[in-house]
Amino acid sequence: MKKMKNQAVIIVALTTVLSALALVPAFGTGLPNNVAVFATGLNNPRGLKFGPNGYLYVAEGGTGGANSTVGCCEQVVPPVGPYTGSITGSRISKINSNGVVTTAVDNLPSSQTNPQTGSLVSGAADVAFIGNTLYILLAGAGCSHGVPQVPEMPNGVIRVNANGTLDLIANLGAFQMAFPVAHPNPDDFEPDGTWYSMIAVRDDGNHVNLYAVEPNHGELDRITPDGLISRVIDISASQGHIVPTAVAMKDNDKFYVGNLNTFPIVAGSSKVYEISKNGHIRAVAEGLSAITGVAFDSQHRMYVLEMSTSDGGPNPGDGKVVRMNHPDGGPHDRDQTEIATGLTFPTAMTFGPDGALYVSHKGFGFPAGQGEILLITVPH
């Protein structure tokens, strides 16, 4: 999650979160009738995709770590930093149709913020498939996240080979350092970045590439399977520090990116932006809050996951999924249909082959093992 702008706001918001977490059982029983708990036992679940084998793959931020790299490299400034981290605290889980969770990839880097801001965890951020090959996006790695660098463990994209071995194909942290964005926010800056979501897209011809969004610097980048990195758009250059998080693709034509925005939350201040492959950006949906997911159904309708929808917070039980009824109508579209409410810190969503939405739930701020995947039946 991204940070608030000053220490007083951080402490007030964190106190609200931790106090509310004491009431977790109440939130767990308050889900609407079209929402069911599909899987449990996850550690800070984030991005998720269905694989070609029918399993649901979930990136887990993990459990953080105790290693410090203070004195070794530039650190995230207090009170968010300095981070502490681990080479082995994160993983990718896979879930069968009965909700049974097994580990697909283990021992990935994980890190956590300063205890003053709740020791919030990041690690594996998202997954995507090109054919049968799994790719992992890392967000909680790199020296500035307290992760030991021998062997090198930067934020980047990892390929999972058929024999189970892992290859780092793209060092996204190094790319950001070599090609900084126009308007990084000095009070909310992470040297190694904090990547959030990734999708596989078929470009011209038969080439499939990966596209990833980084919220802290504010960019959408293209990564080829061979590891070549290029920037589609520096979002910060035209929009400032809006914290873009979720990315989706519609009709293999344009990207749709939702933004979290900075904390404290101002209800209705987030948007979904349409971005062309040549980097043109425009807002197509407004009146949203703290966006952490965007997806399209088989009828090309846009769904938006809001992590928390009232001022201040983030607030448990305040998340929701909405359907945008006219997302191509222009930047003033605010016509929404509520699909599911009462969610607690949802962090990502994807449509399943059954037409249901699958949502990473209790995705941050909870002890290890309390993360969930929700199954949301979508009304026609």
Side-chain angles (χ1 to χ4, degrees), residues 82-282:
Y83 278 70
T84 56
S86 159
I87 294 177
T88 60
S90 181
R91 68 187 179 191
I92 307 298
S93 289
K94 63 179 183 179
I95 307 172
N96 70 12
S97 59
N98 295 317
V100 177
V101 180
T102 54
T103 299
V105 181
D106 209 356
N107 298 325
L108 298 172
S110 181
S111 58
Q112 62 198 52
T113 63
N114 191 308
Q116 192 172 355
T117 50
S119 299
L120 300 179
V121 173
S122 55
D126 205 355
V127 293
F129 281 87
I130 298 180
N132 292 318
T133 303
L134 172 64
Y135 292 83
I136 302 168
L137 179 68
L138 295 181
C143 185
S144 70
H145 287 159
V147 175
Q149 295 300 291
V150 181
E152 185 181 33
M153 284 287 181
N155 274 338
V157 176
I158 291 175
R159 181 181 63 230
V160 183
N161 301 312
N163 63 1
T165 60
L166 308 179
D167 286 325
L168 176 74
I169 66 162
N171 187 331
L172 294 174
F175 178 82
Q176 288 186 302
M177 293 176 189
F179 302 99
V181 296
H183 300 299
N185 188 296
D187 296 326
D188 188 22
F189 183 73
E190 300 199 4
D192 286 288
T194 54
W195 297 84
Y196 199 85
S197 57
M198 178 174 70
I199 56 174
V201 174
R202 186 171 298 280
D203 285 330
D204 297 334
N206 293 318
H207 298 291
V208 179
N209 295 302
L210 301 167
Y211 289 83
V213 167
E214 200 284 328
N216 184 267
H217 297 234
E219 61 191 273
L220 172 64
D221 291 347
R222 175 177 180 259
I223 305 103
T224 71
D226 295 328
L228 297 177
I229 309 168
S230 58
R231 186 163 290 152
V232 176
I233 182 174
D234 174 357
I235 297 171
S236 81
S238 62
Q239 308 300 319
H241 188 53
I242 63 167
V243 195
T245 49
V247 60
M249 170 67 73
K250 180 182 177 184
D251 298 330
N252 205 50
D253 180 33
K254 292 182 173 64
F255 302 97
Y256 290 83
V257 173
N259 76 300
L260 183 76
N261 236 333
T262 54
F263 291 173
I265 294 167
V266 177
S269 65
S270 293
K271 303 176 183 180
V272 176
Y273 296 85
E274 178 190 87
I275 300 175
S276 66
K277 289 185 178 180
N278 63 5
H280 179 265
I281 185 170
R282 72 180 182 112

Side-chain angles (χ1 to χ4, degrees), residues 50-85:
F50 277 88
N53 58 3
Y55 281 81
L56 177 62
Y57 287 75
V58 183
E60 296 181 59
T63 56
N67 184 76
S68 173
T69 55
V70 172
C72 300
C73 58
E74 182 183 2
Q75 299 290 305
V76 176
V77 298
V80 173
Y83 278 70
T84 56

